[in-house]
Amino acid sequence: RFHRVNGIYERRTNRAEARHVLNLLLYLWSQPGKVPTIGVVTFNKEQEGLIEEEIARRASIDHNFRSLLEREKERKSGEKEVGFFVKNLESVQGDERDLIIFSTTFAPIEPGNPASMRRYFGPLTHSGGERRLNVAVTRARDGIIVVTSMPLERISDIHTGIEPGQKIKARDYLQAYMMYADAVSNADGDRTQRWLNCAARLSSHERDIGNRSAIREFDSEFEEQVYDRLVDAGWAVDTQVGQNNFKIDLAVRHPDPAKGYLLGIECDGATYHSSRYARDRDRLRQQVLEGQGWRIHRVWSTDWFRNPERELKRVVEAIESAKSYRPTNQTIDGDQSKIKRADGGVHQDSSSQDVSEYILAELSVSTHGLELHTIPRETMASWVTEVVNVESPVHIQEVGRRIANAAGVAKIGARIQETLLEATRYAARSGEIRVQDQFLWRKDMEQPELRDRSNLANSSRKLELIALEEIAIAVHMVVKVAYGIQQRDVPGLAVRLLGFARVTEDMRSRVEWVVDQMIGERRLVVRGSLLEVPDRA
């Protein structure tokens, strides 16, 4: 069902859609007979929060609605939870309900002016956004109600045509899906025909792109020889997989298509051996790729030409070895599939650099029977300084967590927080640490070290707990390794260096803010469509 709402987009929310969703819930839950299990999916976190606020407000003044809401939240099917939920595109994966209400959120920003709607649709705008759309619209067993304020002609231009070679974007798929929902909901022949025309253009373009992608590309005759020998040996191999300078020369496909690639193969020639800068850059590049789940094997041109049979055997051994590793997410510039990931590379250069693991401070504290908020200021300040000396720069919230854990305190209340703040101010006045925003720095530290947080507890693995200066180092490394990269691809790669498996919309926004600051300070430059590190950097 396609429900048109005359909403406007304001502060990343759409109040008219939120209220329409609320009315739908009241109607559906009040029907006699079996009520379907329901989930609400939104385009962003802000709309999710607004709908939850509207539901809570109604429940506070309407006893009947409150009873219905409590009943639906507690529903189970056997041992399985099937209660009502409100989630956004980033968090709904894995959920399934009978009926999904889809609030598309985005709308014109000026009432009555369709042209004022911007073609920015949050996570859908970013690389891989079509997969998020696919997740959202496949959560329903029986039906979907699309609640939208978007003028369909403003979503994309796929309904009028698409240029040869033009990349299909997530908003093109969104355009086709919305036209389909509108057509089938209204049983309108003209609308159905417009959708069919749109779908035909999309399908034709996908076939065209597929045919062109079958053309093999090689950087050298050496690379082509390796490819030919692997294909002759029965392996399915793709060339130049990825984008920009994150392209992998050869990628061996897994026998199970759903599991993506087994192994990435880099064919390194004379340039790599002769240039120290090239070696350093490729080590960082390999580090980034392995951080995204790739297993990399290098074939050296000199070794290949001396003994191709021996080198081919080593490649095949690396491929076979890759089969024994567990699956994980594998990406290049946002493109994801499933592969078997290695715990370490095969035949890697032993001097390859790694991002340091985040080291936690291990405190030994004694409260002598006192409650934590009554600990003397000087003693608490010494504990703060001890944590900062190990973890600098570290968010004050994390410092409090380390001290509380060491003291055996489960919860940090208002009194402990005040004691911690006073101790922090005391340590700063004493010159033991320095305070910058919410982060505490070792007194002699000018630049932070890039650290991998994948080993930390979930409560500590939040991007807002990482100093902007450390995020900037991750951004600088990604851009420098790439030798030029699309700006939209930076956040996903940067957060992986910091130890995060995926980038959320909030994380993307934070990294993009850092990128903007670095551009303003000329630490990064934009040349054409690529982001680069200045020559002096």
Side-chain angles (χ1 to χ4, degrees), residues 446-465:
E446 295 297 328
Q447 287 292 328
E449 179 186 11
L450 184 63
R451 295 168 291 180
D452 178 354
R453 289 163 169 78
S454 58
N455 63 313
L456 299 186
N458 287 337
S459 57
S460 296
R461 295 181 68 250
K462 298 176 181 177
L463 201 64
E464 60 264 30
L465 297 179

Side-chain angles (χ1 to χ4, degrees), residues 443-515:
K443 60 183 179 181
D444 60 342
M445 176 175 277
E446 295 297 328
Q447 287 292 328
E449 179 186 11
L450 184 63
R451 295 168 291 180
D452 178 354
R453 289 163 169 78
S454 58
N455 63 313
L456 299 186
N458 287 337
S459 57
S460 296
R461 295 181 68 250
K462 298 176 181 177
L463 201 64
E464 60 264 30
L465 297 179
I466 303 178
L468 296 175
E469 292 83 355
E470 190 171 346
I471 296 174
I473 290 176
V475 168
H476 185 275
M477 178 180 287
V478 165
V479 178
K480 187 171 184 177
V481 167
Y483 247 159
I485 187 172
Q486 296 286 342
Q487 190 167 335
R488 66 175 179 270
D489 296 328
V490 172
L493 296 170
V495 301
R496 286 187 178 89
L497 285 179
L498 293 163
F500 297 88
R502 57 190 288 270
V503 56
T504 65
E505 186 176 0
D506 289 341
M507 293 164 70
R508 180 175 291 277
S509 297
R510 187 170 176 83
V511 176
E512 287 174 345
W513 187 89
V514 171
V515 170

Side-chain angles (χ1 to χ4, degrees), residues 86-100:
V86 182
K87 294 187 177 183
N88 63 71
L89 288 177
E90 299 286 284
S91 58
V92 74
Q93 188 163 0
D95 293 291
E96 191 176 74
R97 296 295 184 268
D98 297 331
L99 181 67
I100 290 294

Side-chain angles (χ1 to χ4, degrees), residues 429-446:
R429 287 196 301 269
S430 303
E432 295 299 318
I433 64 171
R434 57 188 177 87
V435 181
Q436 192 168 316
D437 297 324
Q438 295 291 305
F439 292 89
L440 311 185
W441 291 65
R442 201 171 64 229
K443 60 183 179 181
D444 60 342
M445 176 175 277
E446 295 297 328

Side-chain angles (χ1 to χ4, degrees), residues 200-443:
R201 293 189 185 100
L202 199 59
S203 177
S204 174
H205 188 73
E206 284 182 323
R207 286 196 302 271
D208 177 53
I209 292 294
N211 291 337
R212 287 202 307 277
S213 66
I215 300 173
R216 302 296 173 188
E217 298 178 7
F218 302 99
D219 281 344
S220 66
E221 182 181 349
F222 157 50
E223 186 179 310
E224 188 170 1
Q225 287 182 20
V226 177
Y227 169 85
D228 288 340
R229 293 299 301 273
L230 286 172
V231 171
D232 290 344
W235 297 102
V237 184
D238 291 336
T239 67
Q240 300 299 309
V241 175
Q243 299 177 19
N244 301 325
N245 274 63
F246 283 94
K247 284 185 177 179
I248 290 175
D249 296 335
L250 305 174
V252 181
R253 284 187 245 150
H254 195 285
D256 180 352
K259 295 182 179 179
Y261 293 108
L262 277 172
L263 187 72
I265 300 172
E266 296 283 72
C267 299
D268 296 306
T271 302
Y272 185 96
H273 290 282
S274 62
S275 169
R276 178 182 176 185
Y277 183 76
R279 289 197 300 273
D280 291 342
R281 174 170 54 80
D282 270 12
R283 287 176 191 138
L284 291 174
R285 175 179 175 279
Q286 179 169 332
Q287 177 186 323
V288 171
L289 290 169
E290 288 174 345
Q292 296 174 71
W294 279 93
R295 182 173 172 83
I296 301 296
H297 176 83
R298 291 190 181 276
V299 182
W300 306 99
S301 58
T302 50
D303 294 339
W304 179 268
F305 292 128
R306 286 171 184 161
N307 194 334
E309 297 302 326
R310 181 190 63 196
E311 294 309 309
L312 178 63
K313 181 180 178 183
R314 287 177 176 173
V315 176
V316 172
E317 287 174 351
I319 296 171
E320 293 290 351
S321 175
K323 290 182 179 179
S324 64
Y325 291 91
R326 60 181 177 83
T328 188
N329 283 336
Q330 171 198 48
T331 65
I332 286 187
D333 291 350
D335 186 24
Q336 297 192 6
S337 59
K338 294 288 185 179
I339 64 163
K340 299 288 185 178
R341 180 181 176 178
D343 294 332
V346 179
H347 305 302
Q348 291 183 31
D349 189 329
S350 61
S351 62
S352 178
Q353 303 175 33
D354 293 317
V355 177
S356 301
E357 183 178 291
Y358 192 100
I359 303 300
L360 292 173
E362 297 182 2
L363 292 178
S364 177
V365 305
S366 176
T367 61
H368 301 290
L370 297 175
E371 293 188 21
L372 198 56
H373 70 276
T374 65
I375 294 294
R377 177 185 62 184
E378 293 81 0
T379 302
M380 182 72 81
S382 69
W383 295 344
V384 169
T385 301
E386 190 174 344
V387 175
V388 173
N389 284 341
V390 175
E391 299 186 36
S392 173
V394 56
H395 197 282
I396 189 171
Q397 177 181 318
E398 289 291 274
V399 175
R401 184 177 284 123
R402 304 290 183 268
I403 294 173
N405 288 342
V409 175
K411 184 177 180 181
I412 301 177
R415 292 185 298 179
I416 296 177
Q417 287 181 348
E418 184 56 40
T419 302
L420 177 64
L421 286 172
E422 179 55 36
T424 298
R425 287 191 285 265
Y426 178 81
R429 287 196 301 269
S430 303
E432 295 299 318
I433 64 171
R434 57 188 177 87
V435 181
Q436 192 168 316
D437 297 324
Q438 295 291 305
F439 292 89
L440 311 185
W441 291 65
R442 201 171 64 229
K443 60 183 179 181

Side-chain angles (χ1 to χ4, degrees), residues 152 158-160 176 179-180 182-183 188-201:
L152 300 193
I158 189 66
H159 58 293
T160 59
M179 290 177 70
Y180 168 76
D182 181 36
D188 185 313
D190 290 340
R191 290 177 180 174
T192 301
Q193 189 58 52
R194 284 198 297 271
W195 173 76
L196 289 171
N197 292 340
C198 171
R201 293 189 185 100

